[in-house]
Amino acid sequence: QVQLVESGGGLVQAGGSLRLSCADSGRTFSSYGMGWFRQAPGKEREFVAAIAWSGGRTVYADSVKGRFTISRDNAKNTVYLQINILKPEDTAVYYCAAGANTAVISHGRADYWGQGTQVTVSS
């Protein structure tokens, strides 16, 4: 069982940074690949980043590569998304997800989803 709760969103100026957190209250956090998605107003949900259960493999969308970093701390049942050099186009609701592996997550498939946290980037 997995229950995901995101936090860390907010209003940030362009060029700033945020670190999003996703806490899992389930008992098998280490068994899942984890990922982040985002959905901007009026747009479809898109894949952002994924990380393997061991933390050794990561996958990023081209649009965020180099600025976003996904990590996890299995001892804390938490996955993070560090967002640097924020741009206005990063404004979206960011969702945490758990899935079988990074490959399926990067293609938009996940077994569990969080409720989302809002990130707003001002110019």
Side-chain angles (χ1 to χ4, degrees):
Q1 295 181 326
V2 176
Q3 184 174 355
L4 307 175
V5 180
E6 302 96 333
S7 63
L11 175 62
V12 185
Q13 284 190 340
S17 299
L18 275 178
R19 180 163 57 199
L20 308 183
S21 298
C22 174
D24 176 22
S25 63
R27 302 172 63 185
T28 57
F29 179 82
S30 298
S31 299
Y32 291 89
M34 301 295 298
W36 288 93
F37 295 77
R38 67 184 182 184
Q39 187 168 22
K43 304 193 71 174
E44 297 292 325
R45 181 180 297 183
E46 65 174 343
F47 166 76
V48 174
I51 186 167
W53 69 269
S54 66
R57 178 177 174 83
T58 57
V59 181
Y60 296 93
D62 289 342
S63 60
V64 306
K65 187 176 181 180
R67 297 188 299 115
F68 288 29
T69 303
I70 188 171
S71 62
R72 66 191 297 165
D73 187 340
N74 290 344
K76 297 180 179 179
N77 288 352
T78 303
V79 63
Y80 305 94
L81 185 68
Q82 178 69 40
I83 310 176
N84 296 326
I85 317 177
L86 279 159
K87 303 177 179 179
E89 53 263 42
D90 294 323
T91 295
V93 177
Y94 284 72
Y95 297 91
C96 177
N101 54 60
T102 57
V104 299
I105 294 172
S106 70
H107 286 89
R109 298 191 296 274
D111 299 321
Y112 303 94
W113 297 86
Q115 293 293 97
T117 184
Q118 176 71 48
V119 172
T120 303
V121 183
S122 62
S123 301

